[in-house]
Amino acid sequence: MIKVCKFGGTSMADGTTMLRVKRIVEADPARRYVVVSAPGKRYGGDEKVTDLLYETASDVKERGHVGDAYARVAARFSGIVRELGLRLDISALLKETARKIEEEKSEEFTASRGEYLTARIMAELLGVPFVDARDAVKFRGASLDEEETDRLLKETFSRYERAVIAGFYGEDEAGSIRTFSRGGSDISGALAARAAGADLYENWTDVSGFLACDPRIVPEAVGIPSLSYRELRELSYMGANVMHSETIFPVREANIPIAIKNTFRPEDPGTLILPASRCKKDGRVVTGIAGKKSFAVILLEKSHMNEEIGFTCRVLEVFARHNISFEHMPSGIDTMSFVIDSAYLKEGVFEQLRDEIREAVSPDRIEIADNIALLAVVGHGMSDNVGTSARLFGCIRDARVNVRMIDQGSSELNIIVGVENDSYERAVRAVYDEFFGR
Ligand code: ASP
């Protein structure tokens, strides 16, 4: 049995939390490979080491040398090593790291040093080899080279029975350090789990798994005991932020379940993520509710749109020219809407799009509704339960929320409801009460 465990920033925040991690890892001999993030916040208002490192990168860019932000990074790591009583010569390591940061002058190199140093410390604490992700995770330009990474990680694991691997970064073909997007240590962990042929990928964080909805809206939201990879993808894409939304691809391919566990409450069951075929049918209709605010819906209407070949393509070309990606595209016979992130529509962009779309397809009408929130109701159970949408829209009506858009997608896994931003919380509350509240 092999488990790959990834520990997030709060699990690495100080010496005490690292000792917790050590106890967790040592409690189960199957926990052979450990992937770590950089130290996160210890308390509300604290600083994340990665944020400080990004600040360090701009210091170096502006002044040519590291400054106060790096001093704070150094203080965090020295404090951890002191607290743990390790023999690691952290001040030499920090000096050397500062020198390299100034020499490399690369933001990605600088940002990656949080994970690098944390992994060095964790390896020392556990008494197992340290694996530098630059030797095992490979990029081609800015994108991951999956094949080469898999090959090198497999080679690494055949050499080491146990190891600590730094998350978040790798190296490109030119020998430069590249990082994933923020939160990317989850991806490193998933890649390691696949290459190790793990039976389980444990993702240790500071919450006890996924909740059925955002606890800031519904404080008593229940936990989700299990969900499928696809449900996870839908929920995390729509804002349920427990894990990086790209995490599942490597493990899903290899059918490796993911367990979301809480470092601070290891006895809690957490959430298990499995292929749909292995998810128990437990009568749940809805697995979870997620959502995001601040979308815009651009509506086009044109008689006989349905007969006009290439209509959608020409509209999409306009979006593509402006580098705008759209999230959803609900359509009717003579209407079509494009849901896009409002952030794209700064200063006159909509007017420009409108003119270009008019030129491209001459619609009868083109309108925009801004301030739309999307609420995603996710669950495989919805497809075999008659009356799910009646319940969903009934409860939204009872909450006196106006539905601006509906998109069921093609999978029956997800119903997306667009409401105005300021009725979003009310809608989430109502849907939660309807499907989980009794
Ligand atoms: N430390 C990185 C970040 O803050 C990566 C991670 O934690 O996964 O984004």
Side-chain angles (χ1 to χ4, degrees), residues 6 8-9 37-39 48 50-51 54 111 115 167-168 181-186:
K6 180 261 168 179
S37 283
K48 281 182 166 196
T50 308
D51 291 336
Y54 280 113
E115 274 69 13
F168 190 40
S181 56
R182 294 300 302 267
S185 299
D186 287 336

Side-chain angles (χ1 to χ4, degrees), residues 349-396:
V349 174
F350 171 66
E351 288 68 25
Q352 231 173 314
L353 288 174
R354 187 190 52 201
D355 295 346
E356 288 179 38
I357 291 174
R358 276 190 184 140
E359 185 153 323
V361 295
S362 322
D364 301 334
R365 186 159 75 98
I366 173 162
E367 268 171 23
I368 181 165
D370 214 340
N371 295 324
I372 297 290
L374 298 181
L375 187 154
V377 185
V378 175
H380 289 289
M382 295 195 300
S383 62
D384 9 275
N385 277 287
V386 177
T388 305
S389 44
R391 282 176 71 189
L392 174 63
F393 293 107
C395 76
I396 294 178

Side-chain angles (χ1 to χ4, degrees), residues 116-229:
Y116 169 81
L117 292 165
T118 310
R120 294 281 307 259
I121 295 172
M122 206 57 216
E124 186 84 7
L125 182 65
L126 293 174
V128 303
F130 156 76
V131 173
D132 191 342
R134 94 177 304 159
D135 301 326
V137 176
K138 294 291 172 180
F139 283 72
R140 219 175 259 280
S143 342
L144 176 73
D145 182 342
E146 286 217 32
E147 238 171 76
E148 187 60 0
T149 298
D150 197 52
R151 191 182 71 72
L152 289 168
L153 280 169
K154 281 198 169 95
E155 208 177 278
T156 308
F157 296 142
S158 69
R159 237 173 314 132
Y160 302 120
E161 181 76 6
R162 297 176 177 278
V164 174
I165 307 147
F168 190 40
Y169 71 94
E171 183 193 67
D172 67 14
E173 66 275 40
S176 303
I177 292 287
R178 306 306 294 244
T179 53
F180 293 111
S181 56
R182 294 300 302 267
S185 299
D186 287 336
I187 305 173
S188 313
L191 293 167
R194 176 174 65 186
D199 301 277
L200 184 65
Y201 171 32
E202 288 184 336
N203 196 296
W204 291 84
T205 172
D206 55 3
V207 290
S208 296
F210 277 88
L211 296 176
C213 85
D214 186 339
R216 286 167 302 187
I217 303 174
V218 178
E220 76 281 12
V222 293
I224 304 178
S226 67
L227 73 164
S228 73
Y229 295 131

